[in-house]
């Protein structure tokens, strides 16, 4: 059995925050604002995984009204979701991701982020892909007000009745 899932997320940029993308700290003069660590890429990835498994969305799993999620490491949230998927018999086949950011240019960080995501997903690096796009200087991303991310994942299970 194969299942595909899609995830999307947006976070506002704010000065004085640490910028985390895919579990990697990226040096920048602003970071993403959110209840958790606001790792927009991990949030998109988590939603893609939950979607593929038919398990709802990140807001249901980790509500931003729950103090336990305040400042929470999104890599730890991902681990919670991966544990549930494994318990349900799912294996991640691959993940493809896009980060939308005007600044900083993410080219120099793509391989580091790919390696980190692969480690978090327990996959070889060639099963994870990270793409970076600017906002072409238009809209909230192009003006540097926000960043967004999208992710697609494929899951497989030996159980034909998943
Ligand atoms: Mg988010």
């Amino acid at each position: 059995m194969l299942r595909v899932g899609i995830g999307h997320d947006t976070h506002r940029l704010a000065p004085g925050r640490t910028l985390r993308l895919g579990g990697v700290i990226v040096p920048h003069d602003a970071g993403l604002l959110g209840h958790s660590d606001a790792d927009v890429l991990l949030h998109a990835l988590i939603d893609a995984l939950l979607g593929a498994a038919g398990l709802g969305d990140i807001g249901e799993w980790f509500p931003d009204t729950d103090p336990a999620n305040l400042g929470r490491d999104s890599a730890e949230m991902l681990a919670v979701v991966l544990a549930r998927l494994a318990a349900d018999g799912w294996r991640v086949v691959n993940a493809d991701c896009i980060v939308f950011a005007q600044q900083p240019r993410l080219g120099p960080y793509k391989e580091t982020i790919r390696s980190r995501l692969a480690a978090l997903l327990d996959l070889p690096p060639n099963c994870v892909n990270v793409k970076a796009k600017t906002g072409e200087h238009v809209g909230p991303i192009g003006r540097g007000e926000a960043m967004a991310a999208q992710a697609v994942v494929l899951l497989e299970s030996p159980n034909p009745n998943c």
Side-chain angles (χ1 to χ4, degrees), residues 28-114:
H28 192 43
D29 57 8
L32 296 172
L33 201 57
H35 187 69
S36 67
D37 68 1
D39 190 321
V40 70
L41 176 52
L42 287 186
H43 292 185
L45 182 62
I46 287 169
D47 257 352
L49 291 163
L50 289 172
L55 290 171
D57 65 35
I58 191 171
E60 297 168 26
W61 278 65
F62 308 101
D64 63 8
T65 50
D66 185 346
N69 296 325
L70 184 62
R72 192 166 181 180
D73 181 353
S74 296
E76 193 238 322
M77 292 155 61
L78 175 62
V80 170
V81 170
L82 288 171
R84 168 62 186 270
L85 296 188
D88 287 357
W90 292 111
R91 189 186 76 84
V92 182
V93 178
N94 76 304
D96 189 17
C97 310
I98 312 172
V99 181
F100 299 83
Q102 190 64 44
Q103 290 289 337
R105 300 305 282 250
L106 297 176
Y109 302 101
K110 282 194 298 187
E111 278 304 311
T112 304
I113 295 170
R114 181 220 281 258

